[in-house]
Amino acid sequence: MLRGDFLRAEYRFNYSSDNTLFFGNVQRIDASANKFVAGMSGEFSGESVSLPYPIEYFAYYSYVDDGFGERVELTEDFLGTGHGGSVEFSSVLSRQHNTDWFVRVDTVGGVTRLLAGVKLSLNR
């Protein structure tokens, strides 16, 4: 996993104060394999779905060559190579109790995973 030489490039474009488009490419130089990512992140008002706090979102599409190596398991959260994507929504559940909620769907190479839960912050 620690072997290999990689070159990374990323471009981010803030198209409004709360939203960002991003594109990235990681090239494995010694194996002629790459990872491409395109996505968006930001937030929108929770009022549109009757929630009191803004909702943050993060979504991306990725493609990772099979020859990328074991490092792809870390960069793709252990799901693997091929075409993939992820969509996540999160927001404040309770400011008083420093808790947030999240829902995330990942899919890579035919494997799909749903993650949902509550995050507790100890540093707020």
Side-chain angles (χ1 to χ4, degrees), residues 19-95:
N19 299 285
T20 302
L21 293 174
F22 58 88
F23 304 92
N25 191 56
V26 180
Q27 179 73 41
R28 181 169 181 174
I29 300 168
D30 61 330
S32 295
N34 72 37
K35 172 186 177 180
F36 170 77
V37 178
M40 57 196 331
S41 64
E43 70 176 38
F44 57 89
S45 171
E47 294 172 0
S48 60
V49 288
S50 300
L51 293 175
Y53 301 108
I55 298 172
E56 294 180 11
Y57 70 89
F58 178 80
Y60 73 87
Y61 162 81
S62 68
Y63 177 77
V64 183
D65 288 330
D66 288 332
F68 199 77
E70 295 173 344
R71 180 177 171 185
V72 72
E73 291 186 7
L74 289 177
T75 62
E76 292 299 322
D77 289 331
F78 303 100
L79 290 178
T81 60
H83 296 278
S86 182
V87 176
E88 180 174 352
F89 296 98
S90 62
S91 186
V92 173
L93 184 62
S94 169
R95 289 202 193 280

Side-chain angles (χ1 to χ4, degrees), residues 92-109:
V92 173
L93 184 62
S94 169
R95 289 202 193 280
Q96 179 183 359
H97 297 103
N98 298 328
T99 55
D100 298 342
W101 62 266
F102 68 92
V103 175
R104 183 171 121 191
V105 175
D106 299 319
T107 182
V108 174

